Amino acid sequence: MATDDVAQLADSLAKTGVEDGELSYKGQGRKLDDAQSVEEMVKEIQDFEGLQALRLEGNTVGVEAARAIAKALETKSALKRCYWSDMFTGRLRSEIPPALNSLGDALMLAGARLTVLDLSDNAFGPDGVKGIENLLKSSTCYTLQELRLNNCGMGIGGGKILAAALIYNHKKSSAEGSPFSLKVFVAGRNRLENDGATALAQAFKLIGSMEEVHMPQNGINHAGVTALAEAMQHNPGLRILNLNDNTFTEKGAIAMAQALKHLRSIQVINFGDCLVRPEGAKAIAASVSEGLPILKELNLSYGEITEDAALVVAQAVKDKDQLEKLDLNGNCIGEDGCRALKVAMEAMNMSELLGSLSDDEGEPEDDDDDDEDEDDDEEEDDDEEDVDEEEVEEEEEEEEEEESTGNKVRHFSTPQSAPRPPEVSSFLSFPSPDKLLKLGPTRALLIEQQVDVSDAAKTAEAFLKIASVYKEDNNEVKNAVLDSIDGLLRKAFTSSSFQGYSFVSSLLVLLGLIKSEDKVKPVIVVPGHLQALEHVVRQDYFPKESVAVLEAFMSRNNKTLEPCGNAKNNLQSTLQRVRSQS
């Protein structure tokens, strides 16, 4: 070969970026309007033996230019990867569908079997989806593993067309013995909304092979999120789920939490800016704690999560050995809560995994107005029904207790997991030292049997009721209290389903040390509460990472603890000592 020819070939290869069967024109900014403008490119495509990947991103391709390129692709049966993002800048939207049709027809004619199709950043709208509809339905895409359509403006209509094409592909390919097994789906910033997301959820549920789903910024609220959650349960190999900047609210978050229980392969969860709120965050935390053994990243930022919920989330990741980042920035944790959160993560030797909290919104202001999303007409109806049911249950509970005691007194809700002996019922409703002693030597067992220890909040309530009758100067009462508490909490903390941090969080709420989204009314704190807690933190069943959190809260100046000066000081000293020994 002549020297000039070698130099020309080298220059051509340098421009196009040939590597491992890939021909790349990436980012060259070419304006390709007609056949003449792509003559050189067409020749290079035709001359490239074994072409497996073609990169056209970062150029602008007109209809005639696309037809010329398509002609060159008609013989490229080995082509597997098409990186065609951002290649219609400055084009009329009407130009895009015929250009895509030409390229898709060429791939089908060639008998190519694609594994990657990337058409992101093309803003082609629903009509653009129609331009690839036939391609997606064809045998050329039976082997497709990655479909990237980020920032294409598909809208609801485009989402439905796309979903129908994927479902058709799966049914046809399955009938031919090679089921469509898509692994990666990217469709952020497409205005899919609920209907588009629900349509795609049906496709994902059928496909069942998804490993990555990225659908941020799509205007999806709880109805669409719930549909996606149900679909994800049928994709056990899912590793990455990114739904950033959609609107879950509690309903969507709880539905997604249920789905996470089925996804043991998940590594990255991005629910940032999704308004999961405290109850949604707690539900997600419960699923994280119970499973997800290889979780690497959990993003619950900008979700209106309060301090108590943030602490529950922190506890949920304590055994995640592969965790690399926990993002809780931009929530409503408050200055003190952020300190407590850092203390909790430090106690678990995970402080370096906690992301910045610099954008925290501070503790939420008390507000009686309902803060609902756009679909609140339906939600408010549901809420009213729930309130009515709760009021009936509370009235029935009070009537039962009035019959046994003859009194009308406001009290904590108490577990109704089994019929109580009258003495236990009376004590748990209206605690007194005499009633506790009258339960006899089996009092601890009787109380254990009547408290639903699977519910951390109810367990915290029961603990405070028992502790309220503690008497330092009466050994009989003191021992009865401590024996009962030990029996109850040992059973709770040794249960595999018990959420220890939910217990601590509920305890702090009931003691008035942190606010709750549920507006739970704190108890009147008495020294016995803190004296019993001082005993509990020294026991082997109590998790040592919770000691640091309690210490952080007890060090605050809080009016609710002022009447318990000595008991508070003794508890602080014990917490410091226990933490230093761990």
Side-chain angles (χ1 to χ4, degrees), residues 12 53 63 85 88 110 160 187 191 232 292-293 315 331 371 385 392-393 399 416 434 447 488 515 544 568 574:
S12 177
V63 176
S85 63
F88 295 114
K160 289 182 175 180
R191 305 193 308 275
M232 293 306 110
L292 316 192
Q315 169 66 12
N331 282 299
D371 190 17
E385 292 174 8
V392 170
E393 290 173 0
E399 288 172 3
Q416 301 291 325
D434 287 342
I447 293 173
L488 176 68
K515 293 179 181 179
K544 295 301 179 255
K568 177 189 173 184
T574 298

Side-chain angles (χ1 to χ4, degrees), residues 49-124:
E49 295 293 333
L51 180 65
Q52 295 183 32
L54 178 62
R55 289 188 173 274
L56 296 176
E57 64 263 57
N59 300 285
T60 176
V61 183
V63 176
E64 293 304 318
R67 286 175 181 161
I69 295 170
K71 190 67 177 175
L73 292 175
E74 289 180 357
T75 60
K76 300 301 175 182
S77 61
L79 188 61
K80 296 179 180 179
R81 304 184 301 280
C82 297
Y83 301 102
W84 295 349
S85 63
D86 188 22
M87 68 175 200
F88 295 114
T89 301
R91 301 291 171 184
L92 296 174
R93 181 166 289 188
S94 60
E95 294 181 78
I96 300 175
L100 291 172
N101 270 319
S102 296
L103 293 166
D105 289 347
L107 296 174
M108 290 186 281
L109 183 60
R113 293 292 185 268
L114 295 184
T115 58
V116 178
L117 179 60
D118 186 354
L119 288 165
S120 298
D121 301 316
N122 279 313
F124 47 48

Side-chain angles (χ1 to χ4, degrees), residues 429-540:
S429 299
F430 310 102
S432 74
D434 287 342
K435 288 179 182 178
L436 180 63
L437 293 177
K438 286 179 180 178
L439 292 178
T442 61
R443 63 180 68 87
L445 181 60
L446 290 173
I447 293 173
E448 280 179 52
Q449 291 172 342
Q450 300 309 317
V451 177
D452 181 7
V453 295
S454 66
D455 188 318
K458 290 180 179 179
T459 305
E461 288 182 5
F463 162 76
L464 290 176
K465 288 178 179 181
I466 301 168
S468 67
V469 304
Y470 180 96
K471 289 185 177 296
E472 183 66 33
D473 57 357
N474 186 322
N475 284 334
E476 186 180 12
V477 173
K478 174 181 175 180
N479 291 334
V481 167
L482 297 183
D483 288 345
S484 300
I485 285 173
D486 281 340
L488 176 68
L489 295 188
R490 189 178 299 279
K491 179 181 178 182
F493 280 104
T494 55
S495 170
S496 59
S497 62
F498 188 69
Q499 299 294 322
Y501 246 73
S502 292
F503 170 82
V504 173
S505 175
S506 297
L507 189 63
L508 293 171
V509 169
L510 290 168
L511 291 172
L513 299 179
I514 58 178
K515 293 179 181 179
S516 169
E517 183 78 1
D518 298 329
K519 295 182 172 58
V520 174
K521 186 175 181 180
V523 303
I524 297 174
V525 182
V526 296
H529 289 139
L530 305 188
Q531 289 166 325
L533 188 56
E534 182 187 355
H535 166 81
V536 167
V537 299
R538 296 198 303 265
Q539 307 310 306
D540 56 2

Side-chain angles (χ1 to χ4, degrees), residues 289-324:
S289 179
E290 293 168 11
L292 316 192
I294 57 174
L295 184 67
K296 291 184 177 180
E297 183 175 335
L298 177 60
N299 183 347
L300 295 177
S301 59
Y302 302 93
E304 292 190 359
I305 298 172
T306 51
E307 178 179 5
D308 59 324
L311 290 170
V312 173
V313 172
Q315 169 66 12
V317 301
K318 69 174 182 177
D319 295 322
K320 307 306 168 189
D321 296 336
Q322 298 186 36
L323 190 74
E324 296 174 359

